[in-house]
Amino acid sequence: MKKNDFTCMLNRGRFNSLLSVLCIFLIFGSCDKEDPNILWVSQEQIDFPAEGGATTVHLKTDALDGWQISNPASDWVELSQTSSPYTPGKVAISVSSKTLTAREAILTLSAGNASPIDIVITQPASDYLHELSADKTVFEANSLGNSATLKVSSTAPSWSFVNTPDWVTFSEVSGGVGDFTISVSILENETNADRSATVTLQANNTPSIEISFSQTAGIYPSYNLSPLSPDQTGMESSAVALAAKMKIGWNIGNTLEAIGGETAWGNPRVTEDLIKLVKQSGFNAIRIPSSWDQYMENSVTAEIKAEWLNRVKQVVEYCVNNDMYVIVNIHWDQGWLEENCTPDKQVEVNAKQKAFWEQIATHLRDFDEHLLFASANEPHVDNAEQMAVLQSYHQTFVNAVRSTGGKNSYRVLIVQGPATDIEKTNTLMTSMPTDEVAGRMMSEVHFYPYQFSLMTEDASWGKAFYYWGNGYHSDNLPDRNSTWGEEDFIDDMFGRMKTQFTDKGIPVVLGEFGAIKRTYLTGENLALHLASRAYYLKYVVKQAKANGMLPFYWDAGNIGEHEMTIFNRSNNTVHDQQALDALIEGANE
């Protein structure tokens, strides 16, 4: 072989090697270069409303590492997830807050070597950032005022009521985020004009809510014209302590409550000598049933005549000057309250109750704790609806007395059960009025087992009882023996009052009790009747005291058939010594 041939062959081999390397480079070089990844999203432009919202976007990619989303607006745009190795996938996008200026955010979706995709989020400006709502925007009340509830819901960090008049109160005047149940009270309108006001419920960056209030004028003007600061001088005793000082009481019946005037029902004017006789006979408390409606100077304004206020004050002075405890009430008074415990009469009766008690309480304000006030006498109530009305009358009484101030701020007040009937009271009187001073309330019931104590003529359903109690039944007139209402009945009834009131620190005034004298009987029949009557009176007083009750005997002053009279008021002497002895013995046992 020639040298040139060898060289040529060598060169040819190098060329082939280079060619082989080049082929290999071209082959493998083309395999290393990848195609772009697939990336797809269902929405690239999302326009949320001003109040925000939520939507879901779907996406897919063939990138082995999955996908990612960058969120530069994480302070107002929320994503259910920002990356995932799984595909296809989905992302929930939400905007929950509002903005006062329009805003935009660009979310960047990327995967593998795919070209990134921008997802544009927009939200227009809102007029308000937060929500504020109230379930009522109109409140109306009569002259006595009322209470209601208002439900407020807020997403604002703070809210408040503004422009509130002094006759409207809210249990909460401001708050923050959440739901609130607010007590709203409209106070009594003591003016002679209707009134109205608009209260604004407001919060920053939130629509305000206007709440309107309106109230009718008072029926009568206010008589609380000279309220005093509270004065506890001479008023130190609580109701319980005062009850312990009261031994046994007596009613000046059919006198200051008599329709037509103090002497219209046959009794003479009350004198201090009569009060002294009562005191000397063993009583240390007097109840003064009083009428007021017939003594109005002006029925349009419910103003009570000054001379009548002075007369009642004079009789109270007779009692207090002789160290007697004394109760002044509004008695039957032609029934304006007692016969109208109904919703349709509630406004006008409460108005008169307030007007009368503001005058009575102001005029008698300077007496010490010897004087007690009682709301009514025997209010006609038979059911829960009527009881609710009666409770409003009692609450008006308490509020009116307390509003006059001075010693009345601490005076012991007495409220009556429905019909002052023990069984009805036990069933229907489930609460006492609200009082601003604790421990200054008493309740009142009366006790008359009808067939023995009051029944004068037989009826188709039963006969009058002449004889009462163990050991006092008649063999001569067995059909006149009591068949109910005897010792076990008294024990049961009085025991109920002890459980319901006395045991809870509320003394019970037994404001009236008694039994008529059947003087048409003769001989041993009369003697047994009188003995059983005396036993009855003694037993009532004894058991009343044992159960924490304060007994006040009813004395109407009449002398004759069916009387219950202890004292002859025409000459200020004891008329019924047997009954008097029984009462005092019962109080001393």
Side-chain angles (χ1 to χ4, degrees):
M1 176 179 298
K2 295 178 180 179
K3 181 178 179 181
N4 290 339
D5 290 339
F6 176 80
T7 301
C8 184
M9 289 179 63
L10 180 61
N11 289 337
R12 187 182 296 116
R14 289 177 178 174
F15 175 78
N16 288 336
S17 295
L18 289 172
L19 182 62
S20 297
V21 170
L22 179 60
C23 290
I24 292 171
F25 174 79
L26 291 173
I27 292 170
F28 284 95
S30 64
C31 290
D32 285 344
K33 184 175 182 179
E34 300 176 0
D35 293 331
N37 289 121
I38 296 170
L39 182 59
W40 172 86
V41 66
S42 60
Q43 296 182 74
E44 295 183 22
Q45 176 77 37
I46 303 174
D47 299 318
F48 284 102
E51 63 271 16
T55 189
T56 299
V57 298
H58 297 268
L59 52 86
K60 61 183 178 181
T61 182
D62 61 355
L64 295 178
D65 292 336
W67 54 266
Q68 303 85 34
I69 298 181
S70 66
N71 180 15
S74 59
D75 57 330
W76 63 278
V77 177
E78 297 180 8
L79 306 180
S80 60
Q81 55 183 337
T82 58
S83 64
S84 175
Y86 303 108
T87 185
K90 59 183 179 180
V91 178
I93 302 177
S94 61
V95 173
S96 59
S97 62
K98 296 180 180 181
T99 177
L100 293 177
T101 58
R103 55 190 174 184
E104 178 182 281
I106 298 177
L107 314 184
T108 301
L109 172 65
S110 62
N113 63 3
S115 295
I117 299 174
D118 288 339
I119 303 174
V120 179
I121 308 294
T122 66
Q123 184 184 23
S126 174
D127 293 333
Y128 306 105
L129 290 182
H130 306 291
E131 300 292 338
L132 184 64
S133 66
D135 69 333
K136 298 176 185 175
T137 57
V138 176
F139 288 84
E140 298 176 341
N142 58 44
S143 62
L144 297 176
N146 64 9
S147 297
T149 57
L150 174 66
K151 294 183 179 180
V152 172
S153 296
S154 172
T155 63
S158 66
W159 56 263
S160 62
F161 293 108
V162 295
N163 302 322
T164 304
D166 58 6
W167 48 276
V168 176
T169 63
F170 297 99
S171 59
E172 297 176 69
V173 297
S174 62
V177 177
D179 298 323
F180 303 82
T181 299
I182 300 167
S183 297
V184 182
S185 295
I186 300 177
L187 306 182
E188 183 176 2
N189 188 353
E190 297 182 345
T191 72
N192 291 330
D194 294 345
R195 59 189 179 185
S196 61
T198 299
V199 176
T200 302
L201 174 60
Q202 68 174 23
N204 289 337
N205 299 317
T206 306
S208 297
I209 298 173
E210 303 297 319
I211 303 174
S212 66
F213 292 85
S214 60
Q215 186 177 31
T216 57
I219 297 176
Y220 304 114
S222 174
Y223 288 97
N224 185 23
L225 304 178
S226 57
L228 301 178
S229 299
D231 179 5
Q232 201 167 359
T233 306
M235 308 297 292
E236 290 80 7
S237 297
S238 66
V240 172
L242 199 60
K245 300 177 182 181
M246 299 169 70
K247 180 179 177 182
I248 184 172
W250 177 79
N251 277 275
I252 311 179
N254 286 15
T255 309
L256 273 74
E257 85 278 27
I259 303 304
E262 186 175 348
T263 62
W265 289 353
N267 285 310
R269 284 171 60 87
V270 176
T271 64
E272 188 168 8
D273 286 341
L274 173 63
I275 303 305
K276 289 180 178 179
L277 171 65
V278 175
K279 174 68 179 294
Q280 293 165 3
S281 298
F283 297 92
N284 77 333
I286 286 182
R287 179 171 177 258
I288 306 177
S290 302
S291 173
W292 306 93
D293 190 75
Q294 65 177 324
Y295 295 107
M296 283 191 290
E297 186 77 56
N298 186 332
S299 61
V300 174
T301 62
E303 181 183 0
I304 301 171
K305 293 180 179 178
E307 55 265 36
W308 181 246
L309 287 165
N310 289 333
R311 174 56 181 159
V312 174
K313 183 176 182 179
Q314 183 180 46
V315 176
V316 172
E317 287 173 339
Y318 294 159
C319 299
V320 174
N321 290 345
N322 285 278
D323 195 26
M324 300 280 277
Y325 295 95
V326 56
I327 297 172
V328 170
N329 75 349
I330 293 180
H331 211 66
W332 173 68
D333 210 16
Q334 303 182 89
W336 64 265
L337 183 151
E338 302 203 347
E339 296 176 10
N340 289 297
C341 295
T342 56
D344 62 313
K345 295 290 186 179
Q346 189 171 3
V347 171
E348 62 185 88
V349 171
N350 264 313
K352 184 177 285 189
Q353 176 85 325
K354 175 180 179 292
F356 280 1
W357 275 112
E358 283 181 343
Q359 295 173 81
I360 298 165
T362 298
H363 204 74
L364 303 179
R365 180 168 50 195
D366 294 335
F367 288 103
D368 68 8
E369 67 183 22
H370 281 81
L371 174 62
L372 301 83
F373 292 145
S375 175
N377 176 47
E378 294 179 346
H380 299 179
V381 168
D382 295 311
N383 55 52
E385 180 184 57
Q386 294 172 351
M387 185 66 218
V389 175
L390 175 60
Q391 288 284 39
S392 76
Y393 298 165
H394 289 333
Q395 190 64 61
T396 295
F397 157 69
V398 173
N399 294 347
V401 173
R402 295 286 185 243
S403 72
T404 62
K407 298 184 190 303
N408 287 339
S409 296
Y410 301 97
R411 194 168 307 285
V412 170
L413 306 179
I414 305 167
V415 294
Q416 294 63 44
T420 52
D421 176 86
I422 290 177
E423 291 179 287
K424 289 181 180 179
T425 299
N426 191 231
T427 301
L428 296 174
M429 194 171 184
T430 57
S431 64
M432 296 287 283
T434 300
D435 192 6
E436 61 189 34
V437 55
R440 300 291 173 132
M441 297 286 295
M442 295 184 181
S443 60
E444 180 179 351
V445 293
H446 298 170
F447 186 71
Y448 293 109
Y450 180 69
Q451 284 175 268
F452 176 71
S453 61
L454 295 176
M455 190 173 183
T456 58
E457 296 181 358
D458 294 341
S460 59
W461 50 265
K463 292 184 176 182
F465 298 152
Y466 301 165
Y467 308 104
W468 187 96
N470 184 28
Y472 292 92
H473 283 193
S474 171
D475 293 329
N476 294 336
L477 301 172
D479 61 340
R480 297 298 180 176
N481 294 329
S482 295
T483 59
W484 70 277
E486 296 191 295
E487 292 95 338
D488 57 345
F489 182 75
I490 288 178
D491 295 346
D492 177 31
M493 293 295 103
F494 291 6
R496 294 188 193 189
M497 294 294 94
K498 180 177 185 297
T499 300
Q500 185 173 357
F501 296 111
T502 307
D503 289 348
K504 298 175 182 177
I506 304 169
V508 181
V509 175
L510 185 62
E512 294 183 18
F513 73 96
I516 60 175
K517 183 188 293 185
R518 303 177 188 275
T519 54
Y520 46 80
L521 297 174
T522 59
E524 62 182 58
N525 291 333
L526 175 60
L528 183 60
H529 163 69
L530 295 177
S532 73
R533 178 174 175 267
Y535 172 65
Y536 165 78
L537 297 177
K538 179 179 178 179
Y539 195 87
V540 169
V541 174
K542 177 182 176 181
Q543 291 307 105
K545 301 286 288 185
N547 286 279
M549 302 171 72
L550 307 176
F552 281 75
Y553 181 78
W554 178 257
D555 188 331
N558 61 302
I559 295 176
E561 189 172 323
H562 299 139
E563 67 178 57
M564 287 196 291
T565 301
I566 301 294
F567 302 106
N568 185 329
R569 301 186 202 175
S570 64
N571 56 20
N572 291 331
T573 59
V574 175
H575 171 69
D576 190 339
Q577 189 67 51
Q578 183 183 35
L580 175 60
D581 291 344
L583 293 168
I584 301 305
E585 287 173 11
N588 290 332
E589 287 195 4

